Amino acid sequence: MEFGISYSTPHFGVHPDTLMRFARDAEDLGFESLYLPEHVALYPGAKIGAMELDPALPYGDPLDCLSFVAAGTRRLLLGTGVLLLPYHHPVLLAKRLATVDLLSGGRLRLLTVGVGALPGEAAAAGVAFGSRGRRADEAIDVLRLLFAGGADGVSHAGEFFAFDDVCSFPKPSGRLPIHVGGASPAAARRAGRRGDGYFPGGLLTPDERRRQLDLARTAASEAGRDPEALQYTRWGSIAMSEADAGRLAAEGVDRVVVSPSSADPAARRDELAAFADRFGLTRRAGAAG
């Protein structure tokens, strides 16, 4: 099982030195991957469930942050948790994703997309809130089409996007995986039908998590895809024990992503180091290098 780390720009800030130090610490300590979250627009009263979001939270653009991090690291895989796909035009996004992947040496391997939960954010992006799931499905298809297309161009005519004989270069380094995040049955089905991995969030019970993983794998089988090829990523606690990790591994989890709790950079580094020591990450990284 692999271990990733999430850097929360709204809580830890977007200062370049802080972000780069965090990424380099994560790499040196043996974490597999670095994830960043996204919100494109907040507003007073915005809530996710019962949690109200401060509209002044500084959500940095995750792809720009990852491109910056890539310049100062060499091994760390790059991920989003999650990129709000309905609010990005896939033709423009394909260019950005391919560029980040190439500049990082093919390390954008954990792009994870979701549909968002804030109606006002959708409205600000010019997207009908009720259409965002269908829009995400079509955007994934468009990204795949553009990445696979050659110099003769590709065409698409869908509900939300349409173009003729479009060429999108450069291409990513190899096939760019697209993971799907979200706690709903629709997200699980999207992961199975279109994704390379499933990264559920939310406060789900163990039974709900089992049912949704089964749903994702069933959807993959029904789509003619290999359900066992679907990677399964989960959030975990920075304080988790080896027993906790063992239970997740027994559930078929391939990767656990944790986030430090401290606002102090030195204390955050200590949290990462304690976790890495507990799970032998530094030794694993040394053996791999």
Side-chain angles (χ1 to χ4, degrees):
M1 192 163 66
E2 300 289 349
F3 293 94
I5 191 79
S6 177
Y7 182 89
S8 175
T9 53
H11 296 113
F12 303 151
V14 290
H15 192 283
D17 294 343
T18 304
L19 175 58
M20 187 62 77
R21 182 69 268 165
F22 184 96
R24 286 174 172 164
D25 284 344
E27 181 168 83
D28 292 344
L29 290 167
F31 285 87
E32 175 224 29
S33 47
L34 176 71
Y35 284 76
L36 275 94
E38 179 178 51
H39 275 294
V40 299
L42 296 179
Y43 49 93
K47 287 184 177 182
I48 296 179
M51 181 180 69
E52 185 165 340
L53 299 176
D54 181 348
L57 288 172
Y59 277 91
D61 182 278
L63 297 182
D64 289 342
C65 288
L66 290 173
S67 184
F68 173 76
V69 161
T73 57
R74 58 180 178 80
R75 178 190 58 80
L76 204 62
L77 299 186
L78 309 176
T80 55
V82 295
L83 187 83
L84 300 179
L85 186 55
Y87 311 146
H88 295 268
H89 195 293
V91 175
L92 303 179
L93 184 61
K95 179 76 70 177
R96 296 184 69 200
L97 294 174
T99 301
V100 173
D101 190 56
L102 288 172
L103 290 177
S104 67
R107 288 188 281 143
L108 186 60
R109 301 292 95 184
L110 296 169
L111 170 73
T112 308
V113 301
V115 301
L118 299 177
E121 187 171 31
V127 171
F129 189 67
S131 73
R132 68 199 194 287
R134 301 193 313 278
R135 193 179 182 97
D137 288 343
E138 188 175 337
I140 293 173
D141 294 343
V142 169
L143 289 172
R144 301 278 196 216
L145 179 67
L146 291 170
F147 291 150
D152 53 346
V154 293
S155 300
H156 175 81
E159 181 181 1
F160 303 102
F161 311 107
F163 49 83
D164 294 313
D165 303 325
V166 166
C167 302
S168 183
F169 287 87
K171 305 296 183 186
S173 175
R175 185 178 185 276
L176 195 150
I178 300 175
H179 295 233
V180 174
S184 68
R189 288 190 291 269
R190 181 172 299 113
R193 292 168 181 166
R194 288 178 165 84
D196 296 284
Y198 181 39
F199 189 171
L203 300 176
L204 301 176
T205 67
D207 283 344
E208 288 171 330
R209 292 195 184 280
R210 281 192 290 271
R211 287 197 296 271
Q212 293 206 4
L213 180 58
D214 287 343
L215 180 58
R217 288 174 171 164
T218 298
S221 293
E222 291 173 349
R225 310 177 76 217
D226 179 5
E228 298 304 316
L230 191 70
Q231 289 194 22
Y232 186 33
T233 302
R234 287 270 294 276
W235 292 106
S237 167
I238 193 74
M240 69 189 301
S241 67
E242 292 182 75
D244 296 330
R247 283 189 288 271
L248 289 172
E251 294 174 19
V253 174
D254 298 294
R255 177 180 300 99
V256 176
V257 180
V258 299
S259 181
S261 59
S262 178
D264 176 70
R268 281 201 300 268
R269 209 273 181 192
D270 290 343
E271 284 186 295
L272 267 63
F275 187 96
D277 182 65
R278 190 157 62 249
F279 291 100
L281 303 188
T282 307
R283 294 192 300 274
R284 287 165 56 179

